[in-house]
């Protein structure tokens, strides 16, 4: 269980980092948008980026709170038999293993997926679903890409 908790903490850190990168990109786009003449389109684009950043900051707040809770739990129980219990280990840093777990349905592809914002991973996943004619999964991936 120790490894699982540590991997979960690392995954949460990675998600926070990815969200921060997306926030930075959105900030650059917001600066560009604000240089445009005032229009309904400008307002719409600004609101989209602003709301996305607001959502990402809220997610980061939740991810950080979960990290803190896990760290406290880990510190409290690290030398107890509870931590010696085993759970399935997924190495979130091994892209191929995560890919296998994803296509097998053991790991759902959603906003908490370790490679959620990795375009290469998404393309590989889409190629797999196309080859296997799993068009429902292709459609689901396409919806994630649009948001």
């Amino acid at each position: 269980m120790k490894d699982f908790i540590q991997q979960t903490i690392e995954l949460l850190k990675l998600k926070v980092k990815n969200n921060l990168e997306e926030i930075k990109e959105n900030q650059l786009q917001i600066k560009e948008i604000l240089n445009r003449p005032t229009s309904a389109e400008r307002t719409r684009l600004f609101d989209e980026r602003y709301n996305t950043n607001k959502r990402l900051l809220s997610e980061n707040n939740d991810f950080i709170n979960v990290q803190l809770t896990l760290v406290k739990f880990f510190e409290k129980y690290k030398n107890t038999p509870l931590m010696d219990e085993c759970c399935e280990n997924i190495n979130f840093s091994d892209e191929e293993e995560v890919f296998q777990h994803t296509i097998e349905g053991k790991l759902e592809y959603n906003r908490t997926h370790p490679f959620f914002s990795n375009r290469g991973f998404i393309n590989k996943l889409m190629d797999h679903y196309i080859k296997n004619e799993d068009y429902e999964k292709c459609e689901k991936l396409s919806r994630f890409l649009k948001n």
Side-chain angles (χ1 to χ4, degrees), residues 49-95:
R49 294 289 165 241
Y50 175 80
N51 288 330
T52 298
N53 279 0
K54 189 175 173 181
R55 179 186 50 77
L56 291 170
L57 286 169
S58 177
E59 279 182 15
N60 276 1
N61 186 47
D62 293 341
F63 292 154
I64 291 168
N65 284 332
V66 171
Q67 284 179 56
L68 290 172
T69 301
L70 287 172
V71 168
K72 287 177 186 176
F73 177 86
F74 185 78
E75 286 300 314
K76 185 175 181 178
Y77 295 103
K78 67 181 172 186
N79 296 319
T80 67
L82 175 66
M83 286 300 191
D84 295 330
E85 290 180 15
C86 193
C87 28
E88 183 181 351
N89 248 350
I90 299 173
N91 184 358
F92 291 118
S93 62
D94 182 1
E95 186 174 329

Side-chain angles (χ1 to χ4, degrees), residues 7 15 56 59 87 93 96 110 124-125 134 137 147:
Q7 286 179 343
K15 291 300 294 174
L56 291 170
E59 279 182 15
C87 28
S93 62
E96 189 56 38
N110 57 29
K124 183 177 175 182
L125 207 51
D134 192 341
K137 297 251 173 93
N147 293 332

Side-chain angles (χ1 to χ4, degrees), residues 33-48:
I33 290 167
L34 290 175
N35 288 329
R36 297 178 186 176
T38 303
S39 68
E41 177 69 9
R42 173 187 151 172
T43 302
R44 184 187 64 76
L45 291 171
F46 175 83
D47 287 345
E48 284 177 5

Side-chain angles (χ1 to χ4, degrees), residues 12-23:
L12 291 167
K13 285 180 184 178
L14 178 64
K15 291 300 294 174
V16 168
K17 181 182 174 199
N18 289 341
N19 282 354
L20 288 174
E21 289 173 9
E22 188 174 344
I23 289 168

